C-alpha cells in the first residue's frame, strides 16, 4: 500500500464580484475570460462551476514528497461534489506548486486517516451519475 498524508481544510473563498466595476469593465472582463477559456482548455471542465461551492477540501499528499496527488471537494452539507483527478479533470490543488508545508502555513489543516479519504473518494463514484455529471451539486 502506498504511503500518503491526508489533510482537510476549509476552502478559501474567492473574491466576490463588486458593484464598483462599471458595466463596461465587467463586460470587458467577461469577454476576456470567454476568449481565454475558448483558446486555453479548462483544466477541470466538469468541475469548474463547482469549485466555488466547495466548503472543505480533503487532500492526499505524497508521504515523502508532500505533493498533492488526489483531492476531494465537499459542499456545505458535507456531500462529495467533486474529486480529482477524474476523467478529463486534472485537479485544482494537484495543478499547483503547493506542498504539505505550504498547506499548513496558509490554511488551518487537520490530518485525516486514509480510510475516511477513501470512503469519500469511492462515495463519489457511487453517487455521480456519469451522464449528468455537470448537473449534480
Amino acid at each position: 500500500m502506498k504511503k500518503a498524508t491526508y489533510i482537510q481544510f476549509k476552502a478559501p473563498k474567492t473574491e466576490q464580484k463588486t458593484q464598483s466595476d462599471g458595466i463596461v469593465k465587467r463586460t470587458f472582463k467577461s469577454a476576456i475570460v470567454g476568449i481565454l477559456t475558448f483558446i486555453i482548455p479548462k483544466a477541470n471542465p466538469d468541475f469548474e462551476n463547482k469549485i466555488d461551492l466547495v466548503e472543505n477540501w480533503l487532500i492526499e499528499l505524497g508521504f515523502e514528497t508532500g505533493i498533492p496527488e488526489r483531492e476531494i471537494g465537499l459542499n456545505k452539507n458535507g456531500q462529495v461534489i467533486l474529486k480529482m483527478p477524474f476523467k478529463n479533470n486534472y485537479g485544482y490543488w494537484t495543478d499547483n506548486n503547493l506542498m504539505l508545508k505550504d498547506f499548513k502555513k496558509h490554511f488551518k489543516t487537520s490530518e485525516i486517516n486514509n480510510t475516511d479519504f477513501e470512503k469519500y473518494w469511492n462515495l463519489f463514484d457511487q453517487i455521480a451519475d456519469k451522464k449528468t455529471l455537470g448537473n449534480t451539486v
Side-chain angles (χ1 to χ4, degrees), residues 23-77:
I23 184 90
V24 173
K25 190 173 183 179
R26 284 194 310 260
T27 303
F28 179 73
K29 284 181 181 179
S30 293
I32 295 296
V33 169
I35 291 167
L36 289 175
T37 301
F38 181 75
I39 296 170
I40 303 168
K42 291 182 178 179
N44 305 303
D46 297 320
F47 300 126
E48 284 295 322
N49 63 335
K50 295 184 181 182
I51 291 173
D52 283 339
L53 300 175
V54 173
E55 288 288 321
N56 289 292
W57 287 100
L58 311 178
I59 311 290
E60 174 189 67
L61 304 109
F63 186 73
E64 292 182 10
T65 64
I67 297 172
E69 296 178 352
R70 296 189 294 169
E71 58 200 58
I72 300 168
L74 306 177
N75 68 9
K76 65 182 177 184
N77 299 319

Side-chain angles (χ1 to χ4, degrees), residues 104-117:
K104 288 182 175 182
K105 179 179 177 183
H106 296 289
F107 306 107
K108 185 178 179 183
T109 64
S110 60
E111 285 199 27
I112 59 172
N113 62 47
N114 100 317
T115 304
D116 289 339
F117 186 91

